[in-house]
Amino acid sequence: MRRGRLDEALHEVETACTKYRASAEWAARCRVQKAHVLFLRGSYNDALALLATDLPAPLAHAEVAVQRKMVQGLAYAYLQEYDQAEASLTEAETLERSVDSSFRGDVSQARGILETDLKRYVEANIAFRRALTIARERNLPFLEAQAFGNIGYVAMRQERYDEAIDWFRLTLQKSRSIGSLSSSLRTLGNMGWNYAAVGDFENAEASLKEARAKAEEAGLIDEQIYWLNSLADVYARQHRYAEADSAARQAVLLAEKNDDKDTLTTCLNTRSEIAIAMGHLDDAEKSNRRATEIENAGLDHFGINRSRLIAGRIEAGKHENRKAEALFRKVLADPKAETPLKWEAHARLAQVYAGQHQPAKAEREFNVAIGTVEKARNSVRRDEFKVSFLTSAIEFYDDYVNFLIEQKRSLEALKIADLSRTQSLDQSLSSANVRPSGPTPSSNFHDAARRLNATLLYYWLGQEKSWLWAITPTETFLIPLPASPEIDSALKPYRDSFTGPRDPLEAGNADGKKLYSTLIQPVEKIIPKNSRVVILPDGTLNSLNFETLIVSGSKHEDKPHYWIEDVTITTANSLALLARSSMSGPPNPGRLLVVGDALAASPDFPPLPQAGKEVGLLENYFSPSQRLELTGANATATQFLSSEPEKYSYLHFATHGTASRTRPLESAVILSPEGDSFKLYARDVVKHPLNAYLVTISACNGAGTKSYAGEGLVGLSWAFLRAGAHNVIAGLWEVSNASTPQLMDELYKGIHAGEDPATALRNAKLTLVHSSGNYRKPFYWAPFVLYAGS
C-alpha cells in the first residue's frame, strides 16, 4: 500500500473511531485497524501502544482478536522483542483455529517472519509454505505473492541463491499481474541483494535502483532505506566510493527517523565500511560506535557480528592488533555467523597475523578463508551464479597472493591465483574422480610451456598491486605491474581508437605503446621472435587483443609495428586447465558442421550479405562427405542441436551474434526463425557435450563483453569451451561483414595445409595487416581471438 494511501486509510480509521466512539466494541475495532496501519507505516511502538488495551469481552474470540494478536506479534518481532512476539503469535494461532479466521494465511506469514528472524529456517519455510497453500485454497493472490517472496527470502538467507532467484521471479510475475506495487518493489530489492551476494553487481544495481525508485514513489520509507543502503554497498564493492558514501549518508538520515533499529545499525555499518575503504577511520569509528551502542542496549540483535567485524578492521587500521584479533575471533566463535562474514573474518585475521610477522598463522587463516569461499561457491548449482560468485570474494585471494609474494614465495602465490581461475569451467570438464585436489603443481606449468613450445604470460590485476608471471619451459619470472586503475586508463581509449578513421599504428597511438611497454616489454627478452605466447589475462585485460599492442622498436632497424608481427598468440583462462588440456594436432580427415546464411530473424537481424560467400569458401577445404551445411531455413537452433554436433571436428557459425553484458549466458548466435525463437543461447550450448577440435564463431562479440573474477570473458566462447571444445575462435567486438570471409578463407586454407589454429589464424590476419587498404587496421583483423584450455 502506498504511503499516501496509508495516510488516507489512517485518516478514515480515525474519523470512524471519532464518529462511533459511543460504541466500545466499534472503538476497539478502530484501534486495531489503526494499529495495523501504523505497523505497515513502520511505527511499531505507536501500534503497540494502541493494542495494549484489552478488547471488550464480546470481541475476545472474534476475528478482530486474531488481527490484534497478529499485529502485536509482528510489531514485537520487528522491534526484536522475541519473547513477547512468540507469546502474541501463539495466541493468534490459537484464536484463528477456533474462529476459522480470514487471517489464517496472514498468521502463518507472521509465524514465518518470526522464525526467519530467529534463524530457524526449517520452521520458517514450513510456515510460509502453509501460507502459500492457504492462499491457493482461498484464491488470495496477494497472499500468494507474499508467500512466494518469503520462501525465496528464506532460501536466500540459507545462501541457496539460485533457488531464491526462482522464487523471486515467481513473486515478481505474480505481483505485477495483480498490480501490487509494494510486493513488486520488495521483490526487486531482494533480487538485487541476491545478485550482489553472488557478485553480479550490474544486475544488483539495476534491481536495487528500480526498487528504491518505486519505494520513493510509493512513500514507503522503510523499503526506501533498505534498498538505498543495499545500493550503497553495491557501489562500494565496485570501488565507486563517492556514490557509495552519498547513498549511505541518505540511508542513515532516513533510518534515524524510523523505529527499526535493525535497519539503522545496518545502515551505520555500511557507512562504516565505506569510510574504512576511503581511509576515514575516525568517521568509520563514529558510525560503528553508534551501531554497537544500539546492539549493546538490546535494541538490535541482527548486526552484531558485522559490527564486530567492522570494529576489528578499525582496530587493525589503528595497529591495535590484539583488539582486532579478539573481535575477529568473536565472529568466528559464533556458529550462527553467516558464511561471507566467516571467510572475511579469517582473511582479516590473516592480515593481522601478517602485520605481526607471524606468517604461519597468517597462512593458516588465509587457507581457511579460501576453503570457505570455495565450499560456498561449489554449493551454487546454476552457471549464471557460479561465474559471478567470486567477484564478491576476489579481494581475499588478492590479499593472499600479495602475502605470499612478500614472503618470497612467488610460485605458491601463482598457484593460489590460478586456484581462483575458471572454477566453473574446470568443474564441468573434470569428473570428481579424476580432478586433482588443491592447486596444480608448479612443475605442470613448465610442462605445459614445454608441450606448447610457448612462453606463458599470466596476469593478475589488483586495486593496489598487479603482477605478471612469465613461464618458460625451464624458468618462472615475476614482474610487478601498475595497479589495475592505471592499466585501465590506457586500455579503454586504445580499444576505442580501433573504430577511428586512422590506423593506430600510423597515428603513433600513445596508449598502444604504453600498454606494450607496461605489459610486454619487461619480459620481451625471454620471448624469441616468431615464437608462441599463451596469454592468461585478468580483469579488463580480457577485452584486449594483445596482438594489437604497438612495439616501438628497441633496435635501430626495427620500425614500430603490431606485436602480431613477432609472436603467435593463444588466450587461455587457467594454468591448471592448460596443463591438463589436449595438445593433439588437427584431425585428418576432419568433419565440418557449418551453420550460416540464415534467414532474416527480425528487422534487427537482416540476412548477412557475405554469409553465403563465407559458407561457400569453406567448401573448398571439406569434401561433401566431410561436411554438413545448415543454411537458409535449416539454419535453426533445433537443427543444430539435433545434428549430433559432438561428432564433428569443426563447428563454424557464419551468422549474427549478440553478447549480453547483464546476462552473459543469454549471449546467442542468431539463426533462422522457428516459431518465435531464432537464437542458439550460450546456456543451451553448455548443456550439450562437444569434442570439437575447433569452433569458429564468425559473429559479433562471440567472446562476450562481461568479465568476471576467476572466469574471464563469459559468452559464447566460454560456453563452447565449457561444453568441451578444444579451441574456440571468437570476436571481441563487432566484426566486419566485408573482411571476414577473406580472413576465414585464409584461416581454413592454413588448417587444410596442416597448420594448428593459432598459426593459421595469425597467418590469416597477417594477410590483412600487410594489405594496402583499410583491412590493415585492427578493427578488421583483431576482433578474432583464439581461446584454448579445455
Side-chain angles (χ1 to χ4, degrees):
M1 188 179 290
R2 294 173 184 248
R3 181 61 181 263
R5 289 177 59 189
L6 286 171
D7 290 341
E8 184 181 330
L10 185 62
H11 177 71
E12 289 175 358
V13 171
E14 288 172 337
T15 301
C17 288
T18 302
K19 183 176 181 180
Y20 297 102
R21 59 187 171 187
S23 167
E25 291 181 19
W26 182 259
R29 291 178 186 275
C30 287
R31 283 198 305 275
V32 173
Q33 293 297 331
K34 182 178 178 181
H36 202 157
V37 175
L38 287 169
F39 165 78
L40 293 173
R41 286 180 56 178
S43 302
Y44 309 128
N45 285 312
D46 291 341
L48 287 172
L50 279 175
L51 297 173
T53 304
D54 288 336
L55 295 175
L59 298 180
H61 292 86
E63 178 94 335
V64 69
V66 178
Q67 184 183 10
R68 173 175 175 258
K69 284 299 175 183
M70 180 190 72
V71 175
Q72 265 186 337
L74 284 169
Y76 281 129
Y78 277 63
L79 291 169
Q80 300 179 37
E81 297 177 23
Y82 295 122
D83 290 341
Q84 296 95 319
E86 176 66 43
S88 295
L89 285 182
T90 299
E91 285 189 61
E93 289 165 337
T94 302
L95 285 166
E96 63 90 0
R97 283 193 294 269
S98 67
V99 300
D100 190 27
S101 168
S102 63
F103 285 105
R104 174 165 290 181
D106 299 289
V107 171
S108 291
Q109 290 271 77
R111 167 59 65 184
I113 289 168
L114 176 59
E115 299 296 348
T116 302
D117 286 353
L118 295 172
K119 298 188 178 181
R120 300 198 296 238
Y121 298 125
V122 173
E123 293 84 353
N125 197 42
I126 291 170
F128 290 136
R129 288 180 184 273
R130 184 166 60 244
L132 178 60
T133 299
I134 295 168
R136 287 171 168 171
E137 288 174 349
R138 300 189 177 187
N139 191 26
L140 301 170
F142 182 76
L143 180 62
E144 185 178 6
Q146 284 185 316
F148 282 151
N150 284 325
I151 294 170
Y153 184 75
V154 170
M156 184 174 71
R157 292 293 294 267
Q158 292 177 289
E159 299 166 15
R160 302 204 302 259
Y161 301 115
D162 41 3
E163 180 184 334
I165 208 71
D166 287 337
W167 286 106
F168 290 147
R169 284 171 178 161
L170 280 173
T171 311
L172 196 58
Q173 182 181 2
K174 190 70 178 180
S175 300
R176 285 172 171 168
S177 72
I178 62 176
S180 173
L181 179 63
S182 61
S183 182
S184 294
L185 70 88
R186 189 172 296 114
T187 304
L188 283 165
N190 280 331
M191 289 175 76
W193 196 97
N194 197 82
Y195 284 128
V198 295
D200 187 351
F201 299 132
E202 201 158 352
N203 277 314
E205 182 178 340
S207 294
L208 290 168
K209 278 184 173 178
E210 187 175 354
R212 182 255 174 126
K214 289 183 180 298
E216 189 173 13
E217 173 194 344
L220 296 174
I221 302 298
D222 52 342
E223 297 288 342
Q224 187 181 341
I225 297 166
Y226 198 76
W227 307 131
L228 185 61
N229 180 70
S230 298
L231 189 59
D233 180 59
V234 167
Y235 286 145
R237 289 162 74 180
Q238 297 176 88
H239 310 289
R240 295 158 59 184
Y241 296 122
E243 293 167 276
D245 187 53
S246 174
R249 287 175 183 273
Q250 293 177 59
V252 169
L253 286 173
L254 289 171
E256 286 173 335
K257 301 173 183 177
N258 256 26
D259 286 340
D260 192 341
K261 300 303 181 185
D262 170 32
T263 300
L264 178 56
T265 56
T266 298
C267 294
L268 289 167
N269 280 332
T270 300
R271 178 88 207 288
S272 294
E273 289 177 321
I274 294 166
I276 291 172
M278 298 175 76
H280 303 156
L281 287 183
D282 288 344
D283 287 347
E285 192 165 19
K286 287 176 185 176
S287 295
N288 179 250
R289 190 180 296 120
R290 287 183 61 199
T292 303
E293 287 169 357
I294 292 169
E295 290 157 353
N296 289 341
L299 300 175
D300 175 47
H301 304 283
F302 289 134
I304 291 174
N305 279 321
R306 189 179 177 201
S307 296
R308 285 173 180 159
L309 193 61
I310 292 167
R313 293 180 64 189
I314 293 168
E315 296 298 344
K318 293 159 58 179
H319 304 292
E320 296 286 349
N321 290 326
R322 288 187 179 179
K323 292 181 181 179
E325 179 182 354
L327 288 160
F328 295 143
R329 288 288 179 201
K330 281 187 178 181
V331 175
L332 294 172
D334 185 352
K336 293 185 178 181
E338 295 172 338
T339 302
L341 294 181
K342 287 180 179 178
W343 78 52
E344 182 173 352
H346 281 296
R348 303 293 182 195
L349 191 55
Q351 292 168 337
V352 168
Y353 287 141
Q356 292 177 314
H357 306 291
Q358 299 184 61
K361 287 185 175 181
E363 185 167 5
R364 183 170 63 246
E365 295 299 330
F366 273 128
N367 279 327
V368 175
I370 299 303
T372 306
V373 172
E374 292 297 328
K375 183 179 178 181
R377 191 174 188 278
N378 291 339
S379 70
V380 176
R381 298 185 302 276
R382 188 174 298 178
D383 287 324
E384 65 183 285
F385 291 150
K386 277 183 179 291
V387 298
S388 62
F389 187 92
L390 206 58
T391 306
S392 61
I394 196 66
E395 68 169 295
F396 304 120
Y397 285 84
D398 190 46
D399 291 338
Y400 195 7
V401 166
N402 288 327
F403 164 78
L404 289 170
I405 290 173
E406 288 171 5
Q407 297 294 310
K408 312 297 182 186
R409 296 159 61 188
S410 62
L411 279 179
E412 291 169 79
L414 175 58
K415 293 175 195 175
I416 294 300
D418 200 57
L419 187 64
S420 73
R421 295 273 180 98
T422 326
Q423 292 292 311
S424 297
L425 201 56
D426 196 2
Q427 288 168 12
S428 69
L429 298 173
S430 304
S431 62
N433 62 338
V434 300
R435 185 182 176 190
S437 59
T440 302
S442 57
S443 59
N444 288 15
F445 303 156
H446 296 293
D447 290 343
R450 190 178 301 112
R451 284 192 299 130
L452 289 164
N453 189 27
T455 303
L456 314 181
L457 301 182
Y458 189 104
Y459 292 88
W460 181 265
L461 302 188
Q463 286 296 309
E464 296 180 3
K465 298 177 182 178
S466 299
W467 304 97
L468 164 62
W469 285 267
I471 305 165
T472 72
T474 58
E475 295 181 273
T476 300
F477 304 88
L478 176 66
I479 295 91
L481 297 178
S484 178
E486 182 178 337
I487 293 173
D488 293 347
S489 67
L491 195 152
K492 187 178 185 303
Y494 185 53
R495 266 203 50 163
D496 291 344
S497 72
F498 296 163
T499 58
R502 296 188 63 190
D503 184 343
L505 179 62
E506 295 174 357
N509 188 285
D511 291 314
K513 293 177 180 179
K514 179 181 178 181
L515 287 167
Y516 179 85
S517 66
T518 300
L519 301 172
I520 304 300
Q521 199 163 36
V523 293
E524 66 179 1
K525 291 182 180 179
I526 66 169
I527 304 174
K529 286 290 181 69
N530 293 311
S531 67
R532 295 179 182 273
V533 174
V534 178
I535 302 290
L536 296 103
D538 188 29
T540 52
L541 294 181
N542 281 285
S543 65
L544 174 67
N545 184 340
F546 279 66
E547 295 170 325
T548 65
L549 300 183
I550 298 175
V551 185
S552 296
S554 56
K555 296 180 182 178
H556 200 62
E557 63 272 16
D558 283 347
K559 293 181 179 180
H561 57 276
Y562 291 118
W563 199 34
I564 190 175
E565 300 270 13
D566 297 340
V567 292
T568 300
I569 294 178
T570 299
T571 300
N573 291 325
S574 158
L575 283 171
L577 281 177
L578 198 64
R580 306 198 315 261
S581 62
S582 169
M583 301 297 173
S584 58
N588 187 23
R591 298 183 66 207
L592 169 71
L593 172 56
V594 57
V595 185
D597 199 17
L599 303 178
S602 75
D604 293 330
F605 302 108
L608 286 172
Q610 299 294 323
K613 177 183 177 181
E614 187 173 325
V615 172
L617 288 170
L618 299 187
E619 294 174 357
N620 296 326
Y621 308 109
F622 298 88
S623 67
S625 63
Q626 292 177 309
R627 70 176 188 266
L628 172 63
E629 295 180 3
L630 299 177
T631 59
N634 290 321
T636 65
T638 300
Q639 287 279 8
F640 170 75
L641 294 173
S642 63
S643 64
E644 300 181 304
E646 67 275 8
K647 294 184 177 180
Y648 289 85
S649 311
Y650 298 92
L651 303 177
H652 187 98
F653 295 88
T655 65
H656 286 291
T658 63
S660 173
R661 183 167 179 82
T662 57
R663 292 279 198 282
L665 291 180
E666 297 296 295
S667 301
V669 173
I670 306 301
L671 300 175
S672 295
E674 44 182 342
D676 295 328
S677 175
F678 52 86
K679 293 181 178 180
L680 174 64
Y681 289 102
R683 56 176 161 78
D684 296 323
V685 170
V686 299
K687 298 174 185 176
H688 291 78
L690 300 173
N691 193 37
Y693 175 69
L694 175 64
V695 176
T696 304
I697 309 167
S698 178
C700 308
N701 294 113
T705 62
K706 179 68 172 177
S707 179
Y708 287 112
E711 298 296 342
L713 281 179
V714 176
L716 289 166
S717 63
W718 185 94
F720 278 106
L721 283 172
R722 192 186 193 283
H726 296 256
N727 300 280
V728 177
I729 293 174
L732 289 174
W733 58 81
E734 184 173 345
V735 301
S736 165
N737 291 326
S739 60
T740 298
Q742 179 182 333
L743 184 69
M744 292 299 156
D745 185 34
E746 293 292 335
L747 167 70
Y748 282 94
K749 184 187 295 182
I751 289 173
H752 187 66
E755 295 175 351
D756 62 89
T759 301
L761 182 60
R762 179 197 179 203
N763 289 338
K765 289 178 176 181
L766 286 174
T767 62
L768 299 186
V769 173
H770 296 154
S771 66
S772 58
N774 278 336
Y775 292 172
R776 71 185 187 279
K777 298 178 182 178
F779 173 78
Y780 295 96
W781 56 264
F784 292 108
V785 173
L786 175 68
Y787 297 90
S790 169

